[in-house]
Amino acid sequence: MNNICHFIPYHQDLHSIHTIHFVFETKPQKYRSLKTEAVFKMYYVYSGTGFLHTLGKVQPCCEGDIFFTFPGIPFEIESKENFTYLYISFLGARSNQIMEKTGISKNNFYFPGCSEAAAFWEYGIHVNEQLTDIISESILLYTFTLIGTKTLHEEQAADKRSDAFLCIKKYIDENLTNCRLSLKTISDAVSYNPHYISSVFKKEMSMGFTEYLNTVRIQYACTLMKQGLTSVSDIASLSGYKDPFYFSKVFKQKTGLSPRQYMSC
């Protein structure tokens, strides 16, 4: 039961990653104009801060970040405070396959917060020159794996958050007229922590729980008015508000009109 067996898919050109340079750059880099190169480069920011300039974009970089440049894509690196970095230039069909698999592209080239890679990169730059080809390829594969793992974790977390959000939103929409609806009652119903519910809602909807609840309740109140209801107190109660005065205040905030003004339009 403790065995782990992974079946590895066969790849043509399995070994065709060709590392060309492994460099530790400590000299300040000045931004002059964009340039192009004929190779891929993987960079690890060793210290300080700087900027990667590309067409139409300036990407700030700092210690622990990883970024890529691509053949034929113009770029330039600019140093700021104490900016040093390591890079490996490379080519090969297998590296193209790996970048596609891990989601690395000219539109997705910057990966912050990879400080766990520092020790391996630092070790690799000091390996005997006769072994540079081995260590540089090893660092490439390790870093690709690190990026791929982070990407998968982020995708899994996003999927989990999306599932939670759909469950939470469904419960809210089905119970919006309940004046006792709150983060606590939702938490009890769907078995998520209230703080988690709040954060998921904010992330997925770009608004807080209370704002969303007031929005859908006022929309519901407007529907009731269009159906012919005229009592503000009854409309407030049917829309989930205990206090008709608070309902009127929220209604005006959302629509720009008082309930009576809205009904007279």
Side-chain angles (χ1 to χ4, degrees):
M1 295 300 292
N2 293 323
N3 289 351
I4 298 175
C5 182
H6 296 292
F7 293 92
I8 311 302
Y10 171 74
H11 295 284
Q12 284 187 324
D13 301 320
L14 179 63
H15 301 292
S16 63
I17 295 179
H18 306 293
T19 56
I20 302 164
H21 307 99
F22 188 6
V23 176
F24 185 16
E25 183 61 72
T26 61
K27 294 181 179 179
Q29 305 294 302
K30 293 183 178 180
Y31 174 57
R32 297 180 178 87
S33 61
L34 300 182
K35 63 184 180 183
T36 57
E37 295 187 347
V39 295
F40 293 99
K41 286 186 176 181
M42 174 193 284
Y43 301 78
Y44 178 80
V45 181
Y46 189 71
S47 67
T49 57
F51 295 98
L52 172 65
H53 296 264
T54 58
L55 286 173
K57 186 176 179 65
V58 179
Q59 176 64 60
C61 306
C62 63
E63 182 178 328
D65 294 351
I66 291 169
F67 63 91
F68 292 79
T69 56
F70 301 84
I73 305 297
F75 76 95
E76 185 63 270
I77 295 173
E78 179 184 7
S79 298
K80 289 301 181 182
E81 185 178 353
N82 192 34
F83 189 59
T84 64
Y85 57 91
L86 302 102
Y87 71 82
I88 298 172
S89 59
F90 61 97
L91 286 171
R94 181 64 176 135
S95 57
N96 291 328
Q97 294 169 359
I98 292 172
M99 285 191 288
E100 182 177 352
K101 185 174 185 177
T102 53
I104 299 166
S105 70
K106 63 181 181 180
N107 296 317
N108 187 36
F109 58 86
Y110 172 69
F111 303 90
C114 298
S115 56
E116 57 265 58
F120 198 13
W121 280 79
E122 185 176 5
Y123 167 76
I125 199 66
H126 298 295
V127 164
N128 188 291
E129 287 188 4
Q130 296 181 41
L131 302 174
T132 299
D133 58 335
I134 299 173
I135 192 63
S136 59
E137 183 175 334
S138 298
I139 291 170
L140 277 182
L141 293 173
Y142 165 76
T143 308
F144 280 136
T145 303
L146 177 64
I147 291 170
T149 300
K150 285 178 177 288
T151 300
L152 285 173
H153 284 169
E154 289 168 1
E155 289 174 352
Q156 290 166 357
D159 289 343
K160 182 178 178 181
R161 188 173 63 242
S162 179
D163 290 344
F165 168 72
L166 292 175
C167 178
I168 294 162
K169 185 177 180 297
K170 182 175 184 291
Y171 186 83
I172 293 171
D173 292 345
E174 290 175 350
N175 295 274
L176 66 92
T177 60
N178 183 351
C179 64
R180 295 181 180 176
L181 186 65
S182 67
L183 285 175
K184 176 66 168 60
T185 58
I186 297 169
S187 173
D188 292 341
V190 300
S191 301
Y192 288 113
N193 182 282
H195 295 296
Y196 180 71
I197 293 172
S198 181
S199 67
V200 165
F201 219 89
K202 186 82 172 177
K203 201 165 190 72
E204 294 291 326
M205 290 292 290
S206 299
M207 68 172 70
F209 161 74
T210 301
E211 184 180 355
Y212 175 77
L213 183 59
N214 280 328
T215 298
V216 293
R217 280 177 167 173
I218 296 305
Q219 288 173 350
Y220 184 73
C222 290
T223 300
L224 294 177
M225 292 176 187
K226 290 174 182 176
Q227 291 174 350
L229 273 72
T230 58
S231 168
V232 173
S233 180
D234 288 347
I235 293 169
S237 179
L238 290 170
S239 301
Y241 291 95
K242 292 180 182 178
D243 184 351
F245 296 103
Y246 178 67
F247 163 73
S248 296
K249 178 182 177 181
V250 175
F251 191 94
K252 188 164 187 178
Q253 288 174 344
K254 293 293 182 183
T255 66
L257 300 170
S258 70
R260 290 293 179 198
Q261 290 172 327
Y262 186 89
M263 283 185 277
S264 66
C265 289

